[in-house]
């Protein structure tokens, strides 16, 4: 997902519009295609689900864990896309009477995020159809969006860039040679990433544009707010790791003692931190974009915060 750095911004917005038109897909006709999930398959690849971290589980139990994580994947994306879309609509205001390519790019971005939320609601329901009852995801997307949007635009865009860049890592993890991996879930990664790759370019354009409008003091405060947002994401991941570990223990068909349940919960948390924080923050392009905007000391503050989430 290397940005086209040599083009003027207007052309980069225009290219994003072209790419958005070219890759556009439909939830039912292109992604679902009349298929259902099958519990004989893994839903998330081992490299994302961190199957190796679940050291006490059998291969069949690890497969079940990947299915639980698949359902949580749909829910977490549905949640983050709520605030991402609201921020994109807000930013589009700044292009109303300016670059019409930029305006169209953001309108398409917003339209795609609405579609992605519909896709992930559909995936949540479809996974629910084949897994045991009792799964819980009780974090309110609108409440999270209100909290996130209370932070500065700079901080929200930095978090959004992290998120939208990691869809590429997730897609790349899904195209390995694991024949047990669900073809339907592989398509979710593929189709989502095809539109997210435009979003990541737009996040960068908007972040750099917005960065030009803030003072050094505002940027310094925004770095702290970005760290606060990452910590808030981690808070969500802790809640869900606990819920998913409890669901696993209640439905896996054998007794899980207290020590093992702690191991399972910490493996879920490790996997979720990899999926939703580090797989984006470690992308070289994320570091490249951020390092153009912030000082070494600010970069070290971010790295130190991220290092506590291991
Ligand atoms: Fe999306
Ligand atoms: Fe997106």
């Amino acid at each position: 997902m290397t940005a086209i750095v040599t083009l003027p911004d207007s052309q980069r917005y225009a290219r994003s519009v072209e790419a958005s038109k070219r890759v556009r897909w439909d939830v039912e006709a292109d992604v679902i295609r009349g298929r259902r999930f099958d519990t004989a398959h893994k839903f998330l690849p081992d490299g994302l689900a961190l199957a190796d971290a679940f050291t006490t589980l059998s291969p069949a139990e690890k497969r079940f864990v990947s299915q639980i994580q698949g359902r949580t994947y749909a829910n977490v994306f549905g949640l983050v896309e709520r605030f991402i879309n609201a921020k994109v609509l807000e930013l589009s205001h700044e292009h109303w009477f300016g670059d019409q390519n930029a305006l169209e790019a953001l309108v398409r971005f917003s339209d795609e995020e609405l579609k992605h939320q519909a896709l992930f609601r559909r995936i949540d329901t479809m996974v629910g159809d084949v897994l045991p009852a009792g799964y819980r995801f009780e974090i309110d997307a609108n409440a999270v969006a209100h909290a996130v949007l209370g932070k500065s635009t700079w901080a929200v865009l930095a978090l959004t860039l992290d998120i939208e860049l990691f869809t590429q890592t997730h897609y790349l993890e899904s195209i390995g040679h694991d024949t047990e991996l669900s073809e339907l879930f592989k398509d979710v990664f593929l189709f989502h990433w095809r539109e997210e790759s435009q979003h990541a370019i737009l996040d960068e354009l908007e972040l750099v544009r917005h960065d030009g409008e803030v003072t050094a003091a505002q940027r310094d405060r925004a770095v702290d707010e970005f760290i606060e947002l990452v910590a808030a994401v981690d808070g969500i991941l802790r809640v869900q790791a606990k819920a998913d570990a409890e669901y696993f223990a209640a439905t896996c068909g054998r007794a899980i003692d207290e020590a093992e349940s702690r191991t399972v919960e910490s493996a879920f948390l490790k996997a979720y931190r990899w999926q939703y924080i580090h797989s984006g923050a470690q992308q070289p392009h994320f570091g490249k974009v951020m390092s153009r905007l912030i000082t070494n000391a600010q970069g070290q503050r971010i790295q130190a915060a991220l290092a506590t989430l291991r």
Side-chain angles (χ1 to χ4, degrees):
M1 206 172 297
T2 310
I4 315 149
V5 283
T6 52
L7 291 176
D9 284 359
S10 178
Q11 284 184 42
R12 295 181 67 196
Y13 283 113
R15 285 209 170 186
S16 162
V17 170
E18 279 169 33
S20 159
K21 288 178 178 169
R22 194 170 58 243
V23 304
R24 184 162 184 83
W25 45 263
D26 178 78
V27 171
E28 297 300 329
D30 298 310
V31 186
I32 310 289
R33 302 207 305 273
R35 293 176 288 181
R36 284 174 57 84
F37 284 115
D38 180 342
T39 52
H41 298 142
K42 296 173 194 164
F43 294 173
L44 291 200
D46 290 347
L48 271 192
L50 299 191
D52 290 346
F54 293 82
T55 50
T56 63
L57 305 191
S58 69
E61 288 170 337
K62 289 181 183 182
R63 186 171 65 226
F64 180 38
V65 160
S66 83
Q67 294 160 355
I68 299 169
Q69 291 193 25
R71 191 165 183 186
T72 290
Y73 193 86
N75 279 288
V76 170
F77 264 96
L79 177 135
V80 298
E81 291 181 336
R82 187 66 53 87
F83 75 73
I84 291 172
N85 186 38
K87 181 50 79 179
V88 166
L89 286 172
E90 183 193 299
L91 287 167
S92 73
H93 190 175
E94 296 174 29
H95 299 288
W96 279 5
F97 307 117
D99 183 343
Q100 297 299 290
N101 287 323
L103 180 60
E104 183 174 358
L106 294 190
V107 168
R108 298 186 73 89
F109 183 157
S110 165
D111 177 57
E112 286 157 5
E113 291 300 21
L114 289 168
K115 179 179 69 181
H116 298 177
Q117 288 173 66
L119 167 68
F120 287 121
R121 281 195 296 274
R122 182 86 163 91
I123 296 297
D124 172 53
T125 304
M126 289 174 68
V127 175
D129 287 343
V130 298
L131 290 193
Y135 173 87
R136 291 179 296 125
F137 188 92
E138 291 167 343
I139 304 148
D140 180 60
N142 290 330
V144 170
H146 278 294
V148 170
L149 296 172
K151 304 289 185 189
S152 65
T153 292
W154 195 100
V156 177
L157 280 172
L159 179 68
T160 304
L161 178 66
D162 172 11
I163 291 170
E164 302 207 300
L165 279 173
F166 66 53
T167 61
Q168 184 190 37
T169 308
H170 298 180
Y171 161 67
L172 291 173
E173 288 285 354
S174 78
I175 54 171
H177 297 289
D178 189 344
T179 51
E180 269 189 71
L181 189 58
S182 160
E183 290 294 326
L184 175 51
F185 228 108
K186 280 168 85 165
D187 277 344
V188 171
F189 290 118
L190 168 67
F191 284 97
H192 192 220
W193 167 70
R194 278 186 182 164
E195 290 184 341
E196 289 299 325
S197 55
Q198 275 73 256
H199 298 183
I201 291 168
L202 295 170
D203 295 333
E204 178 185 338
L205 281 168
E206 289 299 308
L207 176 58
V208 172
R209 184 180 66 80
H210 181 74
D211 183 77
E213 297 167 357
V214 300
T215 64
Q218 286 169 328
R219 185 181 304 107
D220 195 59
R221 174 73 196 117
V223 167
D224 286 336
E225 288 186 332
F226 170 69
I227 291 168
E228 288 160 19
L229 284 174
V230 172
V233 170
D234 194 60
I236 290 170
L237 302 182
R238 284 169 187 272
V239 168
Q240 197 55 32
K242 185 169 189 295
D244 287 353
E246 285 169 1
Y247 172 67
F248 174 82
T251 54
C252 72
R254 68 175 173 90
I256 305 273
D257 67 22
E258 219 181 291
E260 187 177 9
S261 77
R262 274 197 302 275
T263 312
V264 169
E265 183 180 330
S266 71
F268 268 108
L269 181 58
K270 191 174 177 196
Y272 291 158
R273 284 171 162 175
W274 165 238
Q275 287 163 34
Y276 305 111
I277 297 173
H278 301 301
S279 63
Q282 286 176 18
Q283 273 232 359
H285 194 67
F286 183 74
K288 209 171 115 191
V289 174
M290 294 295 273
S291 66
R292 278 168 52 205
L293 308 179
I294 60 179
T295 64
N296 281 342
Q298 288 165 340
Q300 279 161 12
R301 246 151 67 202
I302 292 172
Q303 288 309 322
L306 289 171
T308 65
L309 309 177
R310 299 268 176 208

